[in-house]
Amino acid sequence: MDAHLDIEGDEFIFHSRGGAKGRASARNIDYGPALRLLLTRIQAAGARVEGAWLDTEEVRHLPLEARVILERDEFQARPEEQFRLMSGRMQIFQRPPGSRRGGSRVKKVRIRVGQKARGADLEGILGVRWTAGREQRLPAHDLNKVTATHIRNAVERLRRDPASAPGFGPAREYEVVVDEETRLPPKAVFGLAASDALGFSVEPADFSGGAASICHRLLEAAGYPVVAARKPRVPLMLEDDLAIVDEAWDGWINALTGEARSLGSGLLWMDAHSVIFSPRPSDKRADRTDIHLGGFRHDLSVTISAPLKGADANGLSAIARDASGRRVLIRQGWLRGRPEVRGEQFRRLTGLTPVEVTGGTAPTVREWYIVADLDKASDEIAASTADFVLRCMEARAAAKAGSGVPAPSSPPLTAGEETGGTFTRKAVTQPEAEVHRIHGEVWLRLQDLLKSPGPRLSKLRHQAGYEVDGVIAGAEGRILLEIKTGRSAADVYEGVGQLMLYSSMLGLHDHRKVLLLAFEPSATLVEATRSCGVELYSYAWTKTDDGIEVDLPNGFLAICGSDR
């Protein structure tokens, strides 16, 4: 299988997936099948898993208890259920700093195995082999030979001579706090200490860093706190070379398309981030492509247009770089349309913080926001872009509900029940007529079927006024339900878009998304809907002398926990 992991004593670090199969940037393509297989082998060996934690660079500064994705007791469940829980929690995990959602289900994780798994035994339990050409890191029993004395001596050497640890670079993500004025690179300190303890030169590749690593544990045990590195606020500079701008722009598009698959009709879907997008020829530059992101509703989506020139301070989008040359895609905090969202309202409704940008000339002051760091891996570029887009969609939705509404992260409120019966359509161009409330009749029928052993169907609404059709305490987990009274492509587009948006706005990321249509749509729509992670069921209704009779599908009722 194309999946990679590192073993550190009784723990293994399972690496993230990136890119699309068949592309040069692809890595760890068999992430899902491989992790499920490892969980199965651990359980079959009678070994006990002590816990699983997110282990990406963005969260390593957090303590272990703040990034748990599976508790010890949950590993008693079937491996498939373990994998489902881990994947769901990875997707919604808070991405520091300040980000409210993750998006990716295929992140780097750290798993600790107890009982039989000690040292080399873990390799046998997992049934893995070292990949040719890949160096093995020092085993945990060697690294654990490093004592507090070794670490104190290493700290003093580095304080006297910062060049005494050749091969180790400056602090990047973390720093060792020595005193109020002195901070040192953790890997350099531990590398020197390990060289002293083991009697040979220990290199950076011989051990891993990170908040859950042996390196950090022993440094802190010796009395040296390891904290996030201080990063000075340095303004970004607009890139003035149009050739570099275009190269960076094309790299961004390639990163998105590499993390997506086609839904047909020019639409691409990023499974890991629940965002749909479509590349479109630019109407301002014949050789460029704009990207329209955010789904099926144009009034909630976001367009990021190719820059027209270098250092274009008047454009909505631009490429900028920091002092080290790192390239980033930035966009103005301005959502055009009705209503327009910009300035303080954009900051409040998205929760984003503008960055300082210099270069170019503009008649007015612009507020710029980072969309993605273009020098990172494609999956991280896609995740950052999706986060920006979903925040903008939420801001649009809140603004459309009226001014002064709370931020999209506000907790959901209970909404009123649906109603059935009929209403009178007034005569305008057609005669007055009595119209049945099909939507309400479906909801009431479902409510009736789910009353026993207790009420399990409820409605929620966002404080901006948006309501979901139903939240169900199902037989295998909670369900987010959207009901449509038709089966057209427009019904499917709107239903899928609502499920994605409401899942984010109401914090229902771990709910199964179910779309309930009146009668069966075309096979193409069924396949496209399911490929988006939305389960689709169809109901039937007939008109009787007593009103409307609704027949709900058995498969749908089964996942809801109803036996009729």
Side-chain angles (χ1 to χ4, degrees):
M1 286 188 174
D2 180 9
H4 294 84
L5 58 86
D6 296 323
I7 293 178
E8 294 183 355
D10 59 354
E11 294 182 350
F12 68 93
I13 298 91
F14 194 72
H15 291 270
S16 63
R17 174 181 166 175
K21 186 174 288 188
R23 292 180 178 269
S25 61
R27 69 175 190 275
N28 303 330
I29 292 301
D30 296 320
Y31 181 100
L35 184 52
R36 285 193 291 268
L37 178 60
L38 293 176
L39 294 172
T40 300
R41 288 176 175 174
I42 291 170
Q43 194 172 81
R48 185 178 186 85
V49 175
E50 302 295 332
W53 304 271
L54 204 59
D55 204 44
T56 59
E57 289 187 7
E58 294 87 348
V59 301
R60 282 184 191 153
H61 68 284
L62 297 174
L64 281 179
E65 59 269 19
R67 47 194 175 96
V68 175
I69 55 175
L70 212 59
E71 300 281 359
R72 175 178 178 177
D73 292 343
E74 291 175 318
F75 278 93
Q76 297 175 3
R78 293 181 297 105
E80 191 67 31
E81 177 65 10
Q82 297 173 23
F83 178 80
R84 187 187 71 79
L85 290 171
M86 292 170 66
S87 297
R89 290 165 185 171
M90 273 189 269
Q91 186 178 36
I92 66 174
F93 201 93
Q94 187 174 10
R95 296 177 64 239
S99 180
R100 294 168 295 174
R101 67 175 70 76
S104 175
R105 292 173 174 263
V106 289
K107 295 179 178 177
K108 185 178 181 181
V109 297
R110 177 180 291 268
I111 298 176
R112 185 178 301 160
V113 184
Q115 292 184 5
K116 293 183 180 180
R118 289 291 181 265
D121 292 342
L122 183 54
E123 183 178 342
I125 287 174
L126 298 178
V128 295
R129 61 181 175 82
W130 295 104
T131 305
R134 185 181 178 89
E135 294 185 2
Q136 183 175 352
R137 287 175 174 167
L138 290 171
H141 63 82
D142 279 349
L143 298 178
N144 281 319
K145 294 177 181 177
V146 176
T147 67
T149 300
H150 294 133
I151 291 173
R152 284 194 293 270
N153 290 339
V155 167
E156 291 306 314
R157 284 180 61 188
L158 280 171
R159 291 184 70 166
R160 293 193 304 269
D161 180 10
S164 60
F168 289 90
R172 297 178 60 189
E173 299 295 329
Y174 306 98
E175 293 175 321
V176 172
V177 179
V178 179
D179 53 40
E180 292 184 0
E181 298 181 356
T182 308
R183 294 192 176 193
L184 300 172
K187 289 204 74 171
V189 173
F190 192 79
L192 275 182
S195 298
D196 188 20
L198 300 177
F200 58 84
S201 178
V202 174
E203 305 296 330
D206 291 333
F207 63 96
S208 64
S213 66
I214 294 174
C215 164
H216 282 206
R217 289 184 208 167
L218 294 180
L219 288 170
E220 294 192 333
Y224 296 100
V226 182
V227 300
R230 295 172 296 188
K231 296 181 179 179
R233 184 180 176 88
V234 179
L236 296 173
M237 172 72 72
L238 288 174
E239 176 58 60
D240 57 3
D241 188 327
L242 184 57
I244 296 177
V245 169
D246 287 347
E247 179 186 6
W249 180 262
D250 291 342
W252 174 65
I253 293 178
N254 290 336
L256 295 190
T257 54
E259 295 295 316
R261 55 192 173 84
S262 174
L263 296 179
S265 302
L267 298 176
L268 296 170
W269 176 254
M270 291 193 288
D271 293 91
H273 313 293
S274 297
V275 167
I276 196 168
F277 68 96
S278 56
R280 302 177 179 180
S282 172
D283 59 357
K284 295 183 178 180
R285 287 185 65 192
D287 61 340
R288 293 290 100 191
T289 300
D290 297 338
I291 297 290
H292 182 77
L293 303 109
F296 307 101
R297 293 187 57 175
H298 288 258
D299 59 336
L300 297 179
S301 52
V302 181
T303 296
I304 302 182
S305 304
L308 297 180
K309 58 185 180 180
D312 185 7
N314 290 307
L316 272 180
S317 309
I319 302 297
R321 50 184 166 80
D322 64 10
S324 67
R326 178 177 63 101
R327 303 168 304 163
V328 294
L329 171 62
I330 56 176
R331 189 189 190 278
Q332 285 191 41
W334 181 11
L335 303 176
R336 294 170 172 171
R338 297 182 180 179
E340 181 179 87
V341 181
R342 65 190 304 180
E344 185 277 333
Q345 187 184 33
F346 183 91
R347 295 193 299 274
R348 176 171 56 86
L349 294 181
T350 62
L352 295 170
T353 302
V355 293
E356 184 179 350
V357 177
T358 61
T361 58
T364 58
V365 176
R366 311 292 190 183
E367 279 196 357
W368 293 98
Y369 296 81
I370 292 179
V371 177
D373 182 336
L374 302 182
D375 287 331
K376 289 196 171 183
S378 59
D379 59 333
E380 295 176 278
I381 293 173
S384 178
T385 301
D387 182 77
F388 179 86
V389 170
L390 289 171
R391 287 171 181 264
C392 290
M393 291 175 67
E394 291 176 0
R396 281 191 184 277
K400 284 174 69 66
S403 60
V405 299
S409 58
S410 301
L413 305 173
T414 301
E417 296 183 353
E418 295 281 351
T419 58
T422 63
F423 66 93
T424 300
R425 184 183 64 208
K426 300 299 183 181
V428 183
T429 58
Q430 296 179 345
E432 183 175 285
E434 189 178 66
V435 180
H436 286 278
R437 292 187 173 95
I438 305 299
H439 188 281
E441 295 289 352
V442 174
W443 196 92
L444 291 172
R445 174 59 175 158
L446 182 58
Q447 182 191 51
D448 184 60
L449 291 171
L450 297 181
K451 280 183 177 178
S452 178
R456 288 180 286 129
L457 171 64
S458 58
K459 285 175 64 69
L460 296 177
R461 68 179 177 87
H462 188 271
Q463 293 193 37
Y466 295 90
E467 289 189 8
V468 301
D469 285 342
V471 173
I472 301 169
E476 300 178 359
R478 290 192 167 271
I479 296 168
L480 177 61
L481 175 67
E482 187 65 31
I483 303 171
K484 294 299 174 187
T485 57
R487 59 176 176 179
S488 67
D491 290 314
V492 175
Y493 295 162
E494 184 176 25
V496 171
Q498 286 173 300
L499 285 168
M500 298 302 175
L501 186 60
Y502 295 159
S503 172
S504 174
M505 291 177 68
L506 295 171
L508 307 178
H509 308 276
D510 58 343
H511 287 46
R512 297 170 69 169
K513 301 177 183 68
V514 174
L515 179 59
L516 196 56
L517 298 179
F519 308 103
E520 186 81 11
S522 69
T524 301
L525 283 175
V526 171
E527 178 60 28
T529 302
R530 289 173 179 165
S531 71
C532 293
V534 174
E535 301 174 49
L536 189 148
Y537 295 91
S538 57
Y539 65 91
W541 63 270
T542 54
K543 185 176 180 181
T544 67
D545 292 339
D546 298 325
I548 296 296
E549 183 175 307
V550 177
D551 183 23
L552 294 167
N554 292 332
F556 170 67
L557 292 175
I559 68 169
C560 293
S562 171
D563 57 1
R564 288 183 177 268

